[in-house]
Amino acid sequence: MAEWLDQEQDALRIHAEIEEVSTMLRLRAERKRQGARAGCSRLGVRMRSPRRPGGSFTLEWFLVDRPGRTQYLPRGRGDRYNRPAFNRAVPWERRIALEAERPLGAIRERLRLIKDLERRLQELQTLLAQPLPSAETDSEDETIREGRAS
């Protein structure tokens, strides 16, 4: 099961890389077509490596404030960025970002579910490694069996 989850996460990483590059190319092409000036908002998306061993990658939107300075946009609690997250972007960037959020949000959702499964699998493995308590040796279970549960 763990191997299958790793394979799924690797497949999601590949899909995420493709979506990231595709979105950045769309933004760049539209920026060129629009003749965007340096003062315009510059939106981008980035796939970031795990911050800790065993963690998963993240897909985050950012704005370039000035050369060398980026500000990551807050996503909130869900798996997808919502429209207000892109308020500082220009309209055509916002449109591209909201379109890209469909597949990116789906990737985030699947990553979250994989991580949940990995966590539950680890809990189950830990639990199964422990012996089951015996009714004769566990006084707390005996109290419950006699109907005197507190």
Side-chain angles (χ1 to χ4, degrees), residues 35-97:
R37 297 180 312 270
C40 289
S41 169
R42 292 184 52 114
L43 186 66
V45 65
R46 184 174 293 147
M47 188 174 92
R48 296 177 82 180
S49 297
R51 295 183 180 146
R52 64 187 184 292
S56 61
F57 64 91
T58 57
L59 293 162
E60 299 174 333
W61 288 95
F62 63 91
L63 283 171
V64 176
D65 289 333
R66 62 180 185 267
R69 293 283 296 186
T70 58
Q71 178 185 14
Y72 284 92
L73 302 178
R75 183 178 75 229
R77 293 189 157 189
D79 296 317
R80 290 171 174 80
Y81 283 79
N82 54 23
R83 184 176 294 276
F86 303 110
N87 280 346
R88 289 185 43 209
V90 293
W92 59 265
E93 286 178 320
R94 189 176 309 117
R95 179 182 46 78
I96 291 172

Side-chain angles (χ1 to χ4, degrees), residues 9-124:
Q9 193 166 3
D10 288 343
L12 284 174
R13 178 184 304 276
I14 291 167
H15 192 69
E17 288 172 352
I18 291 168
E19 290 296 331
E20 174 197 24
V21 170
S22 171
T23 302
M24 291 300 288
L25 289 173
R26 283 182 64 203
L27 286 166
R28 183 178 297 157
E30 187 64 18
R31 198 171 281 123
K32 193 176 224 181
R33 193 180 80 68
Q34 293 277 341
R37 297 180 312 270
C40 289
S41 169
R42 292 184 52 114
L43 186 66
V45 65
R46 184 174 293 147
M47 188 174 92
R48 296 177 82 180
S49 297
R51 295 183 180 146
R52 64 187 184 292
S56 61
F57 64 91
T58 57
L59 293 162
E60 299 174 333
W61 288 95
F62 63 91
L63 283 171
V64 176
D65 289 333
R66 62 180 185 267
R69 293 283 296 186
T70 58
Q71 178 185 14
Y72 284 92
L73 302 178
R75 183 178 75 229
R77 293 189 157 189
D79 296 317
R80 290 171 174 80
Y81 283 79
N82 54 23
R83 184 176 294 276
F86 303 110
N87 280 346
R88 289 185 43 209
V90 293
W92 59 265
E93 286 178 320
R94 189 176 309 117
R95 179 182 46 78
I96 291 172
L98 290 171
E99 288 172 10
E101 261 310 291
R102 281 180 286 207
L104 296 176
I107 291 169
R108 285 188 211 98
E109 179 181 24
R110 290 175 187 201
L111 278 174
R112 179 181 50 79
L113 292 172
I114 286 172
K115 282 300 169 190
D116 288 348
L117 276 174
E118 286 175 339
R119 193 172 16 262
R120 287 188 176 249
L121 184 59
Q122 181 62 41
E123 288 174 8
L124 178 61

